[in-house]
Amino acid sequence: MMYGGSGTQSRRDLAIEYQAQIPTLRPSIHARRANMTVKFQDLYGFTVEGNVDDVNVLNEVREKVRQQGKVWWALEAEKGANWYLEGHISTTLKSSLKISSLVNAITLKKLIRGGIPPNLRPRVWFSLSGAAKKKSTVPESYYNDLTSAVEDKVTSATKQIDHDLPRTFPGHPWLDTPEGHAALRRVLVGYSFRDSDVGYCQGLNYVAALLLLVMKTEEEAFWMLAVLLENVLVNDCYTNNLSGCHVEQRVFKDLLTKKCPRIAAHLEALDFDVSLVCTEWFLCLFSKSLPSETTLRVWDVLFYEGAKVLFNVALAIFKINEEKLLMAHQVGDVINIIQRSTHHLFDPDELLTVAFDQIGFMTTTTISKQRKKQEPAVMAELDQRIRRLNSNSNDK
């Protein structure tokens, strides 16, 4: 099995072959009879615990992935290797109104929501997200020059990165090794110098780590992180005061009231703050909460449709657990219900069906308006917090 790194032959190439095979998990007869908890490795090397029912769900999902892969490969054979670029809706609507182009765009959206095959994911992400275009605007040696120039520099960001490296998916067979730590450090430190406003924020380590496992090279993982922070996600989400993240939490709370009013009313009666679970979702993009194969299905859609997808998925998690949540009597009960659910959401189709079919359509424009509405209150709150801190320090 392979993971991250330099793009040389070795574990990375072996893993691509492994991902393409998408193995069927086979618990022992004893485990099946007793419905015991079993441990197994997922496609990206993470050790997962679940009962036999969870394994059965995951095997069904993997069979769907195999079938989905056949569709993608058939389209490649018919239309060429980069057929999906012709169906990219952002360019299609601007440059052409041909029915065939619009059909391609609708087909592509449906296909991406159904999942990009693991062995095609690096290429499709890199093209559709805008990462390839972003990389093309700088010299070929940009990443190597950047990482070499900042290798020995020490900043508050590099100190925090070094502190977080061993805590990023501990126990993973590649990430939690000197080679994995070094690759992750280069990506994070490099980006902290590329964008000093962001620098480094806890949460990015998990995002960058998962990108390293998916992309073919370390450099491609860097450019995926760049396009994510600079084009896909909301501004200021990872800056020092996390103002963008605070805005997202307020927007989500409003959406929960509109889309899931019974849940919202019950949680308010319990005095439950949704940020207790949602902050991690928005900062880590579900990489710490959902199984990796489910997280990457969310990211398939995120890189194509944009950050509004995060709201659909977050709302879906609450919606899936509606009946259980309405029975909860304590804040701790709510947290336990949500965490148990997310850790065992092995069926991305279940999650995404609720996210898009039950939660309903939300446009980027609608989300943007909600953000603008919430920004003044967030900035006032952060300003008040700074004043309190300054006042307390002056009193000492």
Side-chain angles (χ1 to χ4, degrees), residues 5-7 126 134-135 138-151 174 180-194 208 212 217-226:
S6 61
F126 203 63
K134 188 176 285 288
K135 179 179 181 292
V138 297
E140 188 67 29
S141 62
Y142 176 92
Y143 179 69
N144 288 334
D145 292 345
L146 174 64
T147 53
S148 297
V150 304
E151 186 176 5
W174 182 75
H181 288 172
L184 181 57
R185 187 183 193 277
R186 284 190 293 270
V187 170
L188 292 172
V189 170
Y191 193 81
S192 75
F193 281 90
R194 174 181 168 86
L212 276 169
T217 68
E218 180 185 308
E219 183 175 5
E220 287 187 355
F222 171 84
W223 286 111
M224 288 301 299
L225 183 65

Side-chain angles (χ1 to χ4, degrees), residues 269-391:
L270 294 178
D271 201 23
F272 178 79
D273 184 352
V274 293
S275 66
L276 290 173
V277 291
C278 293
T279 300
E280 182 178 278
W281 295 351
F282 283 93
L283 285 177
C284 300
L285 309 182
F286 299 102
S287 60
K288 275 188 73 181
S289 309
L290 296 172
S292 71
E293 293 178 47
T294 303
T295 299
L296 296 178
R297 284 285 301 278
V298 173
W299 287 15
D300 286 344
V301 191
L302 171 68
F303 284 123
Y304 185 60
E305 296 188 36
K308 65 177 183 178
V309 168
L310 300 176
F311 293 101
N312 284 85
V313 172
L315 289 167
I317 291 171
F318 278 89
K319 186 69 177 175
I320 286 170
N321 292 287
E322 181 166 14
E323 297 309 316
K324 290 180 182 177
L325 290 171
L326 293 177
M327 297 293 289
H329 300 294
Q330 305 285 340
V331 167
D333 296 337
V334 175
I335 294 173
N336 288 335
I337 289 166
I338 294 295
Q339 288 183 343
R340 267 200 306 270
S341 171
T342 53
H343 291 160
H344 290 272
L345 263 172
F346 294 109
D347 186 353
D349 290 316
E350 176 194 2
L351 176 63
L352 295 177
T353 297
V354 174
F356 296 115
D357 294 350
Q358 291 189 34
I359 296 302
F361 184 65
M362 290 189 290
T363 66
T364 300
T365 303
T366 301
I367 299 296
S368 296
K369 286 180 180 177
Q370 286 289 324
R371 286 181 182 131
K372 287 181 180 178
K373 176 183 171 184
Q374 298 295 344
E375 279 172 3
V378 167
M379 298 312 295
E381 190 178 283
L382 292 173
D383 185 54
Q384 191 176 29
R385 188 181 301 172
I386 292 170
R387 288 182 181 180
R388 275 202 308 270
L389 289 171
N390 290 338
S391 176

Side-chain angles (χ1 to χ4, degrees), residues 157-168 200 202:
T158 64
K159 290 177 182 177
Q160 187 63 55
I161 289 168
D162 288 334
H163 181 69
D164 287 346
L165 289 176
R167 304 193 300 176
T168 307
Y200 170 72
Q202 286 176 305

Side-chain angles (χ1 to χ4, degrees), residues 91-281:
T91 56
T92 297
L93 294 181
K94 290 177 183 176
S95 63
S96 172
L97 289 177
K98 291 180 181 177
I99 295 298
S100 61
S101 296
L102 293 174
V103 169
N104 277 350
I106 294 166
T107 300
L108 180 58
K109 184 176 182 178
K110 184 177 178 182
L111 271 175
I112 287 174
R113 287 188 178 186
I116 301 170
N119 52 343
L120 288 179
R121 189 170 271 141
R123 174 155 55 91
V124 177
W125 277 11
F126 203 63
S127 299
L128 289 183
S129 67
K133 183 177 181 181
K134 188 176 285 288
K135 179 179 181 292
S136 71
T137 63
V138 297
E140 188 67 29
S141 62
Y142 176 92
Y143 179 69
N144 288 334
D145 292 345
L146 174 64
T147 53
S148 297
V150 304
E151 186 176 5
D152 298 321
K153 293 186 181 294
V154 178
T155 65
S156 59
T158 64
K159 290 177 182 177
Q160 187 63 55
I161 289 168
D162 288 334
H163 181 69
D164 287 346
L165 289 176
R167 304 193 300 176
T168 307
F169 298 125
H172 187 278
W174 182 75
L175 287 170
D176 197 13
T177 64
E179 182 188 351
H181 288 172
L184 181 57
R185 187 183 193 277
R186 284 190 293 270
V187 170
L188 292 172
V189 170
Y191 193 81
S192 75
F193 281 90
R194 174 181 168 86
D195 187 344
S196 58
D197 288 337
V198 170
Y200 170 72
C201 173
Q202 286 176 305
L204 289 180
N205 50 322
Y206 295 99
V207 174
L210 203 47
L211 287 172
L212 276 169
L213 295 183
V214 174
M215 303 308 293
K216 289 182 179 178
T217 68
E218 180 185 308
E219 183 175 5
E220 287 187 355
F222 171 84
W223 286 111
M224 288 301 299
L225 183 65
V227 82
L228 190 61
L229 298 179
E230 295 165 17
N231 301 93
V232 178
L233 299 178
V234 64
N235 291 336
D236 302 328
C237 210
Y238 293 95
T239 50
N240 284 337
N241 62 7
L242 296 179
S243 59
C245 186
H246 289 299
V247 170
E248 301 292 75
Q249 300 305 313
R250 283 175 172 263
V251 171
F252 177 75
K253 190 174 180 180
D254 274 2
L255 289 172
L256 188 66
T257 301
K258 291 174 183 173
K259 300 286 186 178
C260 308
R262 292 173 68 210
I263 298 174
H266 185 67
L267 295 183
E268 190 170 347
L270 294 178
D271 201 23
F272 178 79
D273 184 352
V274 293
S275 66
L276 290 173
V277 291
C278 293
T279 300
E280 182 178 278
W281 295 351

